[in-house]
Amino acid sequence: MTQTIAPRLRTLVLLLLAATGLLLTGAGQASAHAALSGSDPQQGAVVDKAPAQVSLTFTEQVSMSDDALRVLDPKGKRVDSGAPSNVSGTTYAVKLHSGLPDGTYTISYQVVSADSHPVAGAYTFSIGAPSSTSVSVSEETVGGGVVGWLYGFGRYMSYAGFIVLVGGAAFVLACWQRGSGVRALQRLVVSGWLTLTAATLGLLLLRGSYTSSGKVGDIFDLELLGQVLQTKTGAALVSRLLLLAAAALFISVLFGAYDKREDEEKRDLTFGLAVGGVVVAAGLAASWAMSEHASVGIQAGIAMPVDVVHLLAVAAWLGGLTALLLALYRAPTDNALDSVAVRRFSTVAFGSVVALVATGIYQSWRQLGSWSAFTDTTYGQLLLVKIGLVALLVGVAYISRRWTARLAETVPARAKVVEKEHAGARAGGSSKRAAQLARQQAAMDAARQKRSRDSDPNRFGLRRSVLAEAGVAVVLLAVTTVLTQTEPGRTEEDAKAATSAAASSDSASGALTLDMPFDTGGEDGKGIVTVDFDPATVGANEMHVYVARPNGRAFDIPEVKVAFTLESKDIGPLPVTPDHITTGHWSASGVQVPMAGEWNIAVTVRTSDIDQVTVDKNAQIG
């Protein structure tokens, strides 16, 4: 029976690993948890004179290196001076050189959010008038590429190692103490320790490149590693490694000396291992809670211990499930898993599910903040997938509980050496021959017992349901890993609200900007005319008109005229002839708008004595 199921088990594992890989591949760029909520100058703004500094406001505090905030002129040369500084709260600024010429400037930022994830972006603003620029905004990425994929894979493996290590050890200690002598369970827990240790070391090396250059060559840069060790994430990873040293001692006692102790000594040792194991496991879980989502935002003091409980519950359930599956398939016939151990794990799993539901509800409220975030944000959509997988897992676990209730404990019969020796004597052979026959008889008895045990329909049903649980658990762990790299819904909605508020403020203050391409049909007759109207309300307004070539470079033309028409009230056209200020720039002050409404703004552009064209757009004024 086991031979029939083994190929299915391997196929399922391969499929689940493939699904995990796809999920992790899609998680490469979903790593920005702090979001840009405001800036001065704003994105796309055209200012009359060069600002003394550039400031950025984020939705949460971020950490910046000396090179984190850069301002580049149209040729790509840096024009910022000094290191960025924290102006107030979540606003950061960098000084600019004095006397900057007109043109389009690029602001590039690369920071690390308070929950340890890199954030990068870029945008442009212009002084005087827009111009062409050699800087490519689309190149500003962080947390992606090969290093980003490796970092995401390392996170997944660290979670998997933690779950197998903690859950496997808890299963042995709390549910099946006789399992401490089972070689397969020993290998499972040790492999969990090795996986978590290797993944932690890998994350420590990858961290510097992951949050900065993203280059594979920087993974072993000792200077970057030194900078990482001074950060909150670096301290958490080092603490995890120290706790893993204590975990190694726990494993050696659990599997080395525990099974050889007398009952009274074993009870005392069990208590000591339980206390020590909980402390080490909680410390390992805290290394995540104190450096990621739970450590920032509202109610961080409550969220961190809740996150620790959540991680421990996941490990007890899914790690114990892995150990149970292994024990069902690989336990030796003379130490087979009995129904008492299965029932104990069923109780532990039920308690873990209750803890998961309670802590999960709190975490969902804290990270989302509203019902709409479930469908309107990436984090909410992933959380719905996770909830669905948990519900499926609980449903399969319920089936497992039913099989557990029906499972009859089997006690393998043991061949008695005396009887085998008598059988050997009756066979008339020597003592050596009798021992050989005894071994053969023992092997035959073991094989018979194994066939009998495998043919038990209850045990077979439990195996299948636990295998299904394990498959769902692998996908669930992948989705959880992606969630930890995704911007929380509350943060995403706060950023959207801040952007909307800024847009509303601009609208209320009358920051009206219209871009209109034109083509007069003559030589050098193509370009873009931009009209800035401030404050775009009833009464007097300030108007600026900019003319640029298709490449963004400002240029002069013989004549520019503007006319305002409110067609719904038959008002206009009201002509305005702005004054020429500088190359490609015209201005008019005191432009009167008599009534609020949707006005048609028409601009007549003349590029030669005979070549001219009129372009227009509608805009709400007042």
Side-chain angles (χ1 to χ4, degrees):
M1 190 69 66
T2 303
Q3 293 177 349
T4 304
I5 298 176
R8 298 178 184 176
L9 177 61
R10 288 194 295 269
T11 302
L12 178 60
V13 170
L14 289 174
L15 289 173
L16 292 174
L17 289 176
T20 300
L22 290 174
L23 284 168
L24 290 174
T25 301
Q29 298 296 333
S31 57
H33 290 195
L36 186 67
S37 59
S39 61
D40 185 18
Q42 294 183 0
Q43 181 174 355
V46 179
V47 297
D48 292 332
K49 61 180 182 179
Q53 67 177 24
V54 166
S55 63
L56 303 179
T57 302
F58 296 90
T59 54
E60 64 182 45
Q61 287 192 335
V62 298
S63 60
M64 286 191 170
S65 64
D66 293 344
D67 201 39
L69 181 54
R70 300 179 298 158
V71 183
L72 309 174
D73 68 10
K75 296 181 180 179
K77 181 181 178 181
R78 291 187 63 169
V79 296
D80 55 278
S81 59
S85 60
N86 184 208
V87 178
S88 63
T90 59
T91 299
Y92 303 80
V94 65
K95 301 292 184 182
L96 300 182
H97 295 161
S98 59
L100 295 179
D102 290 354
T104 297
Y105 291 77
T106 302
I107 300 173
S108 171
Y109 59 91
Q110 185 167 311
V111 301
V112 179
S113 63
D115 58 1
S116 80
H117 297 276
V119 183
Y123 70 90
T124 62
F125 76 97
S126 301
I127 301 174
S131 70
S132 60
T133 177
S134 62
V135 182
S136 176
V137 173
S138 61
E139 293 178 357
E140 302 294 334
T141 59
V142 69
V146 175
V147 172
W149 187 91
L150 288 173
Y151 197 86
F153 182 73
R155 289 173 62 86
Y156 176 84
M157 296 307 295
S158 64
Y159 281 124
F162 171 78
I163 287 173
V164 170
L165 169 63
V166 174
F171 176 81
V172 172
L173 199 59
C175 303
W176 193 40
Q177 295 176 6
R178 287 193 296 111
S180 62
V182 175
R183 186 61 60 87
L185 289 180
Q186 294 175 358
R187 292 198 191 101
L188 175 71
V189 176
V190 171
S191 66
W193 184 90
L194 291 173
T195 300
L196 180 55
T197 303
T200 303
L201 287 171
L203 292 174
L204 198 58
L205 291 173
L206 289 164
R207 181 70 187 174
S209 177
Y210 175 67
T211 58
S212 57
S213 65
K215 298 177 180 178
V216 176
D218 289 341
I219 293 176
F220 299 101
D221 188 324
L222 295 181
E223 184 179 352
L224 278 177
L225 180 60
Q227 294 174 7
V228 168
L229 294 177
Q230 299 175 29
T231 64
K232 181 172 66 173
T233 302
L237 292 172
V238 171
S239 300
R240 192 180 301 167
L241 289 173
L242 295 175
L243 287 165
L244 282 168
L249 178 61
F250 171 89
I251 294 172
S252 65
V253 174
L254 178 61
F255 294 125
Y258 181 75
D259 196 44
K260 300 176 183 178
R261 301 299 178 97
E262 299 294 333
D263 290 344
E264 186 173 349
E265 288 182 323
K266 186 176 290 188
R267 282 194 296 269
D268 295 338
L269 188 56
T270 300
F271 178 78
L273 286 172
V275 173
V278 169
V279 171
V280 173
L284 290 171
S287 67
W288 278 284
M290 296 179 67
S291 62
E292 297 191 352
H293 281 168
S295 62
V296 296
I298 61 173
Q299 299 181 357
I302 299 175
M304 285 189 287
V306 168
D307 198 46
V308 169
V309 173
H310 189 84
L311 287 170
L312 291 177
V314 170
W317 185 17
L318 301 187
L321 187 69
T322 306
L324 174 63
L325 182 64
L326 199 63
L328 284 169
Y329 277 95
R330 301 295 299 276
T333 54
D334 59 346
N335 190 18
L337 181 71
D338 53 50
S339 59
V340 174
V342 178
R343 284 196 296 268
R344 286 175 180 170
F345 173 72
S346 182
T347 302
V348 170
F350 179 78
S352 299
V353 170
V354 172
L356 281 174
V357 171
T359 55
I361 290 174
Y362 173 77
Q363 289 179 329
S364 299
W365 167 81
R366 184 174 178 273
Q367 300 293 358
L368 292 178
S370 66
W371 290 107
S372 61
F374 271 109
T375 55
D376 295 344
T377 66
T378 303
Y379 189 94
Q381 293 164 1
L382 282 171
L383 187 58
L384 286 175
V385 174
K386 180 180 177 180
I387 291 172
L389 288 171
V390 171
L392 176 61
L393 196 58
V394 170
V396 179
Y398 173 74
I399 297 174
S400 297
R401 284 177 64 90
R402 293 183 60 186
W403 284 116
T404 301
R406 296 163 56 181
L407 180 64
E409 182 176 2
T410 58
V411 181
R414 300 192 179 191
K416 297 181 180 180
V417 177
V418 175
E419 293 179 352
K420 293 175 183 176
E421 292 177 347
H422 289 171
R426 287 193 299 269
S430 64
S431 58
K432 183 177 180 180
R433 176 61 176 166
Q436 182 180 9
L437 291 174
R439 288 193 297 270
Q440 292 177 351
Q441 185 64 42
M444 293 173 60
D445 289 342
R448 189 183 307 110
Q449 293 157 14
K450 189 174 186 300
R451 286 195 300 271
S452 176
R453 190 183 71 224
D454 290 343
S455 64
D456 182 354
N458 296 321
R459 184 177 294 271
F460 178 69
L462 181 61
R463 281 183 175 183
R464 288 192 301 177
S465 62
V466 172
L467 180 60
E469 284 186 75
V472 177
V474 171
V475 179
L476 176 62
L477 181 58
V479 174
T480 301
T481 304
V482 177
L483 263 178
T484 63
Q485 296 181 238
T486 304
E487 182 179 346
R490 186 186 290 271
T491 304
E492 186 177 339
E493 289 202 325
D494 287 347
K496 289 178 181 178
T499 303
S500 299
S504 299
S505 176
D506 290 342
S507 177
S509 63
L512 175 64
T513 300
L514 301 175
D515 293 323
M516 291 173 276
F518 66 85
D519 183 1
T520 61
E523 183 179 356
D524 205 19
K526 292 183 179 181
I528 299 174
V529 58
T530 301
V531 178
D532 286 344
F533 206 58
D534 187 18
T537 57
V538 175
N541 292 266
E542 188 83 11
M543 183 179 72
H544 293 271
V545 179
Y546 304 93
V547 177
R549 301 184 190 277
N551 62 6
R553 188 179 299 277
F555 74 110
D556 280 334
I557 57 176
E559 184 179 33
V560 173
K561 295 187 295 185
V562 183
F564 294 82
T565 304
L566 183 61
E567 297 177 353
S568 62
K569 300 293 184 181
D570 291 328
I571 299 177
L574 306 178
V576 178
T577 303
D579 298 322
H580 185 260
I581 305 300
T582 185
T583 302
H585 182 194
W586 291 257
S587 175
S589 59
V591 179
Q592 294 291 326
V593 176
M595 184 180 296
E598 186 175 359
W599 288 80
N600 177 266
I601 303 175
V603 183
T604 299
V605 178
R606 182 166 64 86
T607 57
S608 70
D609 291 339
I610 60 173
D611 297 317
Q612 76 173 37
V613 69
T614 299
V615 291
D616 66 294
K617 273 190 176 182
N618 291 336
Q620 181 68 33
I621 299 178

